[in-house]
């Protein structure tokens, strides 16, 4: 898991966020395939179809993804972070998080799965851009130039934001798993989280500005295909759990 997170961090610094985030779903089909061989878990037709769709959608995403980065230096990152559009978006996200955490979640969280999913997904608006920003700022920290000090401060701020958002996400993911089925939560969470992260990245990094209509439609189709594959794999898990429960009752 640690190696996987290091790989994610390196990927965010090397390629556009719009490609890395959806491809994170590949861990689900690969995990299902490994479980069928190593743990002897049965992979039914829905699970196999879900794995196939997830891999096919990922290939489409890779083909149609942006071919170059829109932000490559610390100065460009600072300019993007202070953009009024992105600042306005963050204010809206913070307001929604405050409403969800302090007002809606205590009353409706245990009965409505979308409350906890919305909190964790909105926090992705801070997690993924912060991860990418840390990678960009870290490139200038060890250089002997006037911008290295600013890069260090920016990196520390982004680390603090990243740490807080991850801690809050863990808390509400655990709350959700106490109240709802993990398979259902995982499928819905992937779709909502990825959608909001792509929205935040599009506003901050403007990665869609150089994407043509054909590539945009291709990425939309690829993301939809991956999402359908993930849902099918999770439906397979729900079916297996139901069969086990029926067997226990018998």
């Amino acid at each position: 898991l640690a190696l996987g997170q290091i790989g994610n961090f390196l990927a965010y610094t090397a390629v556009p966020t719009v490609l890395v985030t959806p491809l994170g779903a590949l861990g689900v089909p690969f995990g299902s395939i490994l479980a069928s061989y190593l743990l002897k878990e049965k992979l039914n037709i829905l699970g196999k179809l879900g794995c196939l769709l997830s891999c096919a959608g990922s290939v489409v995403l890779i083909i149609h993804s942006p071919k170059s980065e829109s932000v490559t230096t610390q100065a460009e990152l600072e300019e993007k972070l202070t953009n009024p559009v992105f600042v306005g978006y963050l204010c809206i996200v913070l307001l929604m998080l405050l409403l969800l955490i302090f007002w809606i979640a205590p009353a409706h969280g245990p009965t409505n799965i979308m409350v906890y999913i919305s909190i964790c997904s909105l926090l992705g608006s801070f997690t993924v851009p912060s991860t990418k920003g840390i990678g960009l700022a870290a490139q200038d920290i060890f250089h002997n130039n006037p911008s290295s000090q600013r890069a260090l401060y920016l990196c520390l701020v982004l680390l603090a934001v990243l740490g807080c958002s991850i801690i809050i996400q863990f808390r509400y993911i655990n709350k959700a798993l106490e109240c709802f089925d993990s398979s259902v939560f995982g499928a819905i969470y992937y779709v909502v989280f990825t959608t909001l992260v792509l929205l935040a990245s599009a506003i901050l990094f403007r990665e869609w500005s150089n994407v043509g209509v054909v590539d945009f439609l291709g990425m939309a189709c690829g993301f939809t295909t991956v999402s359908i594959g993930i849902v099918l794999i999770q439906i397979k898990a729900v079916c297996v759990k139901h069969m086990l429960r029926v067997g226990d009752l018998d």
Side-chain angles (χ1 to χ4, degrees), residues 71 77 80-81 86 129-130 199-207:
V71 179
L77 176 63
K80 298 291 186 183
L81 288 173
F86 182 69
S130 295
L199 176 61
S201 300
I203 295 173
L204 176 59
F205 298 113
R206 308 289 178 89
E207 292 173 339

Side-chain angles (χ1 to χ4, degrees), residues 9-33:
F9 178 81
L10 295 175
Y12 280 122
T13 62
V15 296
T17 308
V18 70
L19 175 61
V20 179
T21 305
L23 288 183
L26 284 176
V28 178
F30 286 157
S32 298
I33 293 172

Side-chain angles (χ1 to χ4, degrees), residues 59-142:
V59 172
V60 175
L61 281 171
I62 293 172
I63 293 173
H64 294 281
S65 65
K67 302 303 184 291
S68 61
E69 285 278 22
S70 59
V71 179
T72 57
T73 65
Q74 176 198 336
E76 292 176 345
L77 176 63
E78 292 178 356
E79 181 183 352
K80 298 291 186 183
L81 288 173
T82 55
N83 185 286
V85 177
F86 182 69
V87 173
Y89 171 78
L90 286 186
C91 291
I92 294 174
V93 170
L94 284 173
L95 179 60
M96 294 176 66
L97 283 171
L98 291 174
L99 290 174
L100 286 167
I101 292 174
F102 295 105
W103 181 45
I104 299 177
H108 305 286
T111 57
N112 191 329
I113 193 173
M114 290 306 299
V115 174
Y116 292 145
I117 286 178
S118 297
I119 293 173
C120 296
S121 300
L122 286 170
L123 286 167
S125 300
F126 300 96
T127 304
V128 174
S130 295
T131 303
K132 190 175 183 68
I134 290 169
L136 291 173
Q139 297 175 7
D140 293 334
I141 290 178
F142 302 103

